[in-house]
């Protein structure tokens, strides 16, 4: 059995949890294992914050303090998670070197007053580059042969779209040629930095927030692994966010398609782009709880009979906005292609689109962070007939379930129950796959809409 296991930041809180992770990995002695890690909890956020601060209001004492805190966090982790003094010394040296490099980069940003997307990726990469050697050393110290490698080392080559880089097609063969011998011949357990890749010119890139999942599934697909295990601090995928609905229930099995829809619409299951590499080969992905490893978790796999629920889960995205283009008497295709070309040029993250056919009326939901760019990119289309407007404070609710396809009346049930509860729907979208009905409401009604539908479809009951 060959398994790719990914540990997210919450599993790597401190030295104690890293040591727990190492022992967990060791348990699967008879397996061929690849470990993919995120940065330690909170580190990526703190790196982004620090970089932004250095660029905006630079002070060398802030950098000293920041590096001191990061040093303390990682030193503590080493002291607790790495039991052998010789191995400890080596990993201390490695971490010192990295932190030294990071300090110089931050000073550079400060002096130059310049923070490009490329340097932002470089800075973010330190989170995983610091955590991987520690996890690897922890494994070594308990007798598991291991080596720490970066995404670039194993052949995760990407384009230069910094911040959301895309792996190139040749990744699969490169990763296979670099990792396969390590597993088969050396019987080693490599620990690989998630989230980061390298462009052909050698620049470090990142795959987007939460991108370690994609690293794990890419590697699994390249190595024809039997399974991917995403270790988190929850038991698996729930019917909805328990902070919104306390009765939310664990879902034992969902399909790739359902997981993808849910992740796209804000559920933190896995990186939406992470499904594609495993879907091609039908490799199951298991969500497991690091701190409750005996729980079955949720399996994401090809469609099965038991996954025929009408509505299986509900997700909510709260930080979105709408840009609306309206007018009359146009060539739809022409104006649409212009609209989307403009949005793509500005790299706007489009979440949902809906178009009415009687006249031109195109509503586009985008990330709140992108709305101003989207609006100014589309504003020039206004010409007296076409008008462009934006709406802030929007939430998108998405109901997902493969059993919706071919079951009549689901949309009817959704919207009449919302109507009965006086929740006003602003925009609706349903894809032809019929796995998903999504709609926009005002931000303040988002959570209520989720509660109403969770009840309506009796998701609290097993
Ligand atoms: N450390 C990165 C992030 O926080 C990648 C990941 O966790 O998957 O987004
Ligand atoms: Mg993280």
């Amino acid at each position: 059995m060959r398994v790719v296991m990914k540990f997210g930041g919450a599993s790597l809180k401190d030295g104690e949890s890293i040591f727990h992770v190492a022992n967990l990995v060791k348990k699967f002695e008879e397996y061929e294992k690849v470990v993919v890690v995120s940065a330690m909890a909170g580190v990526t956020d703190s790196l982004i914050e620090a970089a932004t601060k250095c660029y905006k209001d630079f002070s060398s004492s802030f950098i000293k303090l920041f590096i001191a805190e990061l040093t303390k966090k990682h030193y503590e982790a080493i002291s607790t998670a790495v039991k052998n003094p010789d191995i400890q010394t080596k990993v201390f040296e490695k971490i010192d070197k990295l932190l030294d490099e990071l300090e110089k980069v931050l000073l550079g940003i400060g002096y130059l007053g310049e923070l490009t997307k490329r340097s932002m990726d470089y800075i973010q990469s330190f989170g995983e580059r610091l955590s991987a050697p520690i996890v690897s050393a922890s494994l070594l110290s308990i007798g598991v042969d291991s080596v720490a490698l970066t995404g670039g080392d194993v052949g995760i080559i990407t384009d230069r779209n910094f911040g959301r880089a895309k792996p190139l097609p040749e990744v699969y063969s490169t990763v296979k040629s670099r990792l396969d011998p390590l597993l088969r011949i050396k019987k080693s357990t490599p620990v690989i930095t998630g989230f980061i890749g390298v462009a052909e010119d050698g620049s470090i890139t990142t795959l987007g927030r939460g991108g370690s999942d994609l690293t794990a599934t890419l590697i699994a697909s390249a190595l024809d692994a039997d399974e991917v295990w995403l270790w988190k601090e929850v038991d698996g995928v729930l019917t909805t966010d328990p902070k919104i609905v306390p009765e939310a229930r664990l879902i034992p099995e969902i399909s790739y398609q359902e997981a993808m829809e849910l992740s796209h619409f804000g559920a933190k299951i896995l990186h939406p782009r992470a499904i594609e590499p495993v879907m091609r080969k039908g490799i199951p992905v298991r969500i497991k709880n690091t701190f409750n490893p005996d729980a079955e978790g949720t399996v994401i796999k090809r469609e099965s009979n038991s996954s025929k629920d009408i509505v299986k889960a509900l997700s909510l995205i709260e930080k979105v906005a709408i840009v609306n283009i309206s007018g009359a008497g146009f060539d739809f295709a022409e104006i649409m292609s212009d609209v989307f070309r403009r949005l793509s040029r500005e790299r706007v993250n489009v979440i949902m689109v809906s178009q009415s056919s009687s006249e031109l009326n195109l509503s586009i939901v985008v990330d709140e962070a992108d709305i101003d760019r989207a609006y100014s990119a589309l504003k020039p289309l206004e010409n007296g007939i076409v008008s462009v407007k934006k709406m802030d404070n929007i939430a998108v609710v998405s109901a997902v379930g493969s059993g919706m396809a071919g079951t009549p009346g689901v949309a009817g049930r959704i919207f009449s129950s919302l109507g009965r509860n006086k929740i006003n729907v602003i925009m609706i979208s349903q894809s032809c796959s019929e796995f998903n009905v999504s709609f926009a409401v005002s931000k303040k009604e988002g959570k209520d809409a989720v509660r109403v539908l969770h009840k309506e479809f009796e998701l609290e009951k097993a």
Side-chain angles (χ1 to χ4, degrees):
M1 176 106 155
R2 185 175 268 195
V3 182
V4 176
M5 305 187 191
K6 179 234 138 179
F7 292 91
S11 304
L12 311 172
K13 233 176 9 235
D14 49 22
E16 207 178 312
S17 59
I18 291 179
F19 191 59
H20 169 77
V21 162
N23 283 286
L24 192 54
V25 172
K26 186 181 178 172
K27 272 203 201 149
F28 302 95
E29 226 148 356
E30 69 283 20
Y31 293 2
E32 285 180 352
K33 304 173 287 291
V34 174
V35 174
V36 172
V37 290
S38 297
M40 286 183 70
V43 171
T44 309
D45 286 336
S46 76
L47 287 166
I48 295 173
E49 233 170 77
T52 313
K53 184 158 163 53
C54 289
Y55 155 69
K56 284 196 179 138
D57 62 304
F58 168 52
S59 89
S60 52
S61 60
F62 164 76
I63 296 180
K64 282 256 168 313
L65 194 70
F66 175 69
I67 294 290
E69 277 168 11
L70 218 51
T71 306
K72 184 163 165 265
K73 188 180 184 94
H74 290 87
Y75 268 36
E76 181 280 329
I78 296 170
S79 319
T80 313
V82 184
K83 299 295 181 195
N84 168 312
D86 292 341
I87 301 172
Q88 235 184 38
T89 311
K90 279 203 195 111
V91 69
F92 271 129
E93 275 168 16
K94 198 159 181 182
I95 267 40
D96 279 342
K97 244 199 186 146
L98 282 166
L99 289 166
D100 219 43
E101 185 187 332
L102 174 60
E103 184 168 358
K104 291 197 183 107
V105 179
L106 289 175
L107 280 167
I109 303 278
Y111 282 125
L112 292 171
E114 194 177 77
L115 179 59
T116 60
K117 286 188 136 190
R118 177 165 175 258
S119 26
M120 193 54 140
D121 273 11
Y122 181 40
I123 290 169
Q124 286 185 67
S125 78
F126 280 90
E128 276 73 7
R129 284 159 71 204
L130 287 164
S131 66
I134 302 177
V135 175
S136 177
S138 184
L139 281 167
L140 266 178
S141 79
I142 55 170
V144 180
D145 187 60
S146 177
V147 52
L149 298 168
T150 63
D153 291 337
V154 301
I156 311 268
I157 302 156
T158 70
D159 62 14
R160 283 173 50 90
N161 184 11
F162 296 104
R164 219 183 276 165
K166 241 206 201 105
L168 304 182
E170 57 266 32
V171 160
Y172 293 99
S173 56
T174 321
V175 168
K176 188 179 171 72
S177 68
R178 300 201 187 162
L179 284 181
D180 205 57
L182 212 56
L183 299 182
R184 256 182 329 110
I185 303 161
K186 276 209 77 195
K187 306 273 178 230
S188 188
T189 300
V191 177
I192 299 161
T193 59
F195 179 52
I196 61 185
V198 65
E200 276 163 322
D201 66 356
S203 322
I204 292 186
T205 56
T206 69
L207 309 178
R209 293 305 305 271
S212 314
D213 293 340
L214 177 55
T215 307
T217 56
L218 266 179
I219 292 176
S221 179
L223 292 175
D224 287 303
D226 294 288
E227 288 197 359
V228 178
W229 297 351
L230 303 179
W231 292 94
K232 306 192 167 217
E233 72 294 2
V234 292
D235 276 346
V237 179
L238 301 179
T239 50
T240 195
D241 183 348
K243 282 192 222 103
I244 305 173
V245 182
E247 298 79 20
R249 199 175 41 78
L250 186 85
I251 306 171
E253 224 179 87
I254 65 173
S255 69
Y256 292 127
Q257 195 77 36
E258 290 169 332
M260 195 148 51
E261 302 273 7
L262 280 170
S263 304
H264 180 71
F265 285 101
K268 290 198 180 69
I269 303 173
L270 81 177
H271 192 290
R273 271 157 53 196
I275 286 289
E276 200 253 339
V278 278
M279 200 169 170
R280 308 176 178 214
K281 294 201 172 163
I283 302 171
V285 177
R286 226 174 260 280
I287 312 282
K288 303 264 297 165
N289 189 344
T290 308
F291 304 105
N292 183 20
D294 294 331
E296 274 299 304
T298 298
V299 189
I300 307 168
K301 52 182 213 173
R302 282 203 180 123
E303 196 60 60
S304 69
N305 286 335
S306 64
S307 60
K308 278 287 172 204
D309 308 70
I310 302 176
V311 171
K312 187 176 259 177
L314 299 161
S315 66
L316 173 70
I317 321 184
E318 288 191 296
K319 289 190 176 158
V320 292
I322 293 177
V323 48
N324 200 63
I325 302 122
S326 56
F330 285 95
D331 180 338
F332 281 176
E334 205 169 289
I335 195 154
M336 289 250 218
S337 76
D338 192 13
V339 164
F340 289 106
R341 216 176 309 120
R342 283 163 187 267
L343 295 177
S344 127
R345 220 180 292 136
E346 291 297 318
R347 300 206 185 286
V348 169
N349 187 22
V350 173
I351 290 166
M352 184 167 112
V353 178
S354 169
Q355 186 232 323
S356 69
S357 49
S358 55
E359 55 176 328
L360 174 68
N361 192 332
L362 182 61
S363 304
I364 305 170
V365 178
V366 304
D367 263 341
E368 205 168 74
D370 293 349
I371 183 68
D372 289 334
R373 264 183 298 129
Y375 184 63
S376 17
L378 298 178
K379 196 76 182 154
L381 294 175
E382 285 198 328
N383 61 4
I385 309 170
V386 172
S387 84
V388 178
K389 295 207 162 53
K390 63 173 179 168
M391 286 171 88
D392 293 308
N393 296 316
I394 299 293
V396 167
V397 177
S398 188
V400 170
S402 54
M404 276 189 210
T407 309
V410 182
R413 246 175 101 185
I414 292 176
F415 296 112
S416 20
S417 61
L418 292 170
R420 274 196 310 278
N421 288 278
K422 309 228 167 352
I423 294 172
N424 182 43
V425 176
I426 298 170
M427 160 185 170
I428 301 174
S429 161
Q430 185 198 357
S431 71
C432 282
S433 78
E434 297 184 51
F435 281 2
N436 166 353
V437 173
S438 299
F439 56 89
V441 295
S442 75
K443 190 182 273 176
K444 60 179 194 309
E445 290 184 317
K447 289 194 175 77
D448 274 337
V450 170
R451 286 182 198 115
V452 164
L453 296 182
H454 203 273
K455 248 219 169 77
E456 172 69 27
F457 290 93
E458 304 191 325
L459 295 182
E460 71 279 6
K461 291 186 193 137

PDB file of all heavy atoms in Angstrom, residues 9 38-40 44 128 209, ligand 2:
ATOM      1  N   GLY A   9      -1.536  22.784   8.986  1.00  0.00           N
ATOM      2  CA  GLY A   9      -0.960  23.580  10.062  1.00  0.00           C
ATOM      3  C   GLY A   9      -1.500  23.239  11.448  1.00  0.00           C
ATOM      4  O   GLY A   9      -0.744  23.196  12.420  1.00  0.00           O
ATOM      5  N   SER A  38       2.194  21.322   5.725  1.00  0.00           N
ATOM      6  CA  SER A  38       1.983  22.770   5.682  1.00  0.00           C
ATOM      7  C   SER A  38       2.970  23.417   6.641  1.00  0.00           C
ATOM      8  O   SER A  38       3.688  22.727   7.356  1.00  0.00           O
ATOM      9  CB  SER A  38       0.586  23.120   6.180  1.00  0.00           C
ATOM     10  OG  SER A  38      -0.383  22.577   5.355  1.00  0.00           O
ATOM     11  N   ALA A  39       2.927  24.721   6.683  1.00  0.00           N
ATOM     12  CA  ALA A  39       3.685  25.454   7.690  1.00  0.00           C
ATOM     13  C   ALA A  39       3.087  25.164   9.060  1.00  0.00           C
ATOM     14  O   ALA A  39       1.941  24.723   9.158  1.00  0.00           O
ATOM     15  CB  ALA A  39       3.592  26.940   7.390  1.00  0.00           C
ATOM     16  N   MET A  40       3.845  25.408  10.129  1.00  0.00           N
ATOM     17  CA  MET A  40       3.263  25.278  11.471  1.00  0.00           C
ATOM     18  C   MET A  40       2.098  26.258  11.598  1.00  0.00           C
ATOM     19  O   MET A  40       2.044  27.278  10.906  1.00  0.00           O
ATOM     20  CB  MET A  40       4.315  25.569  12.548  1.00  0.00           C
ATOM     21  CG  MET A  40       5.330  24.453  12.710  1.00  0.00           C
ATOM     22  SD  MET A  40       6.506  24.785  14.055  1.00  0.00           S
ATOM     23  CE  MET A  40       5.458  24.610  15.512  1.00  0.00           C
ATOM     24  N   THR A  44       2.057  30.925   8.120  1.00  0.00           N
ATOM     25  CA  THR A  44       1.853  31.569   6.813  1.00  0.00           C
ATOM     26  C   THR A  44       1.216  32.947   6.976  1.00  0.00           C
ATOM     27  O   THR A  44       1.682  33.934   6.394  1.00  0.00           O
ATOM     28  CB  THR A  44       0.978  30.682   5.897  1.00  0.00           C
ATOM     29  OG1 THR A  44       1.535  29.371   5.882  1.00  0.00           O
ATOM     30  CG2 THR A  44       0.931  31.222   4.482  1.00  0.00           C
ATOM     31  N   GLU A 128       6.708  26.509   5.133  1.00  0.00           N
ATOM     32  CA  GLU A 128       6.857  25.080   4.850  1.00  0.00           C
ATOM     33  C   GLU A 128       8.325  24.671   4.856  1.00  0.00           C
ATOM     34  O   GLU A 128       8.666  23.563   5.250  1.00  0.00           O
ATOM     35  CB  GLU A 128       6.227  24.739   3.496  1.00  0.00           C
ATOM     36  CG  GLU A 128       4.712  24.490   3.517  1.00  0.00           C
ATOM     37  CD  GLU A 128       3.872  25.757   3.712  1.00  0.00           C
ATOM     38  OE1 GLU A 128       4.436  26.871   3.697  1.00  0.00           O
ATOM     39  OE2 GLU A 128       2.644  25.616   3.888  1.00  0.00           O
ATOM     40  N   ARG A 209      -3.453  29.784  -1.237  1.00  0.00           N
ATOM     41  CA  ARG A 209      -3.646  29.408   0.163  1.00  0.00           C
ATOM     42  C   ARG A 209      -4.290  28.035   0.268  1.00  0.00           C
ATOM     43  O   ARG A 209      -5.188  27.698  -0.485  1.00  0.00           O
ATOM     44  CB  ARG A 209      -4.517  30.449   0.884  1.00  0.00           C
ATOM     45  CG  ARG A 209      -3.894  31.826   1.045  1.00  0.00           C
ATOM     46  CD  ARG A 209      -2.529  31.814   1.731  1.00  0.00           C
ATOM     47  NE  ARG A 209      -2.482  31.181   3.027  1.00  0.00           N
ATOM     48  CZ  ARG A 209      -2.700  31.792   4.184  1.00  0.00           C
ATOM     49  NH1 ARG A 209      -2.986  33.070   4.201  1.00  0.00           N
ATOM     50  NH2 ARG A 209      -2.611  31.143   5.336  1.00  0.00           N
TER      51      ARG A 209
HETATM   52 MG1  LIG B   2      -1.143  26.872   6.715  1.00  0.00          MG
END
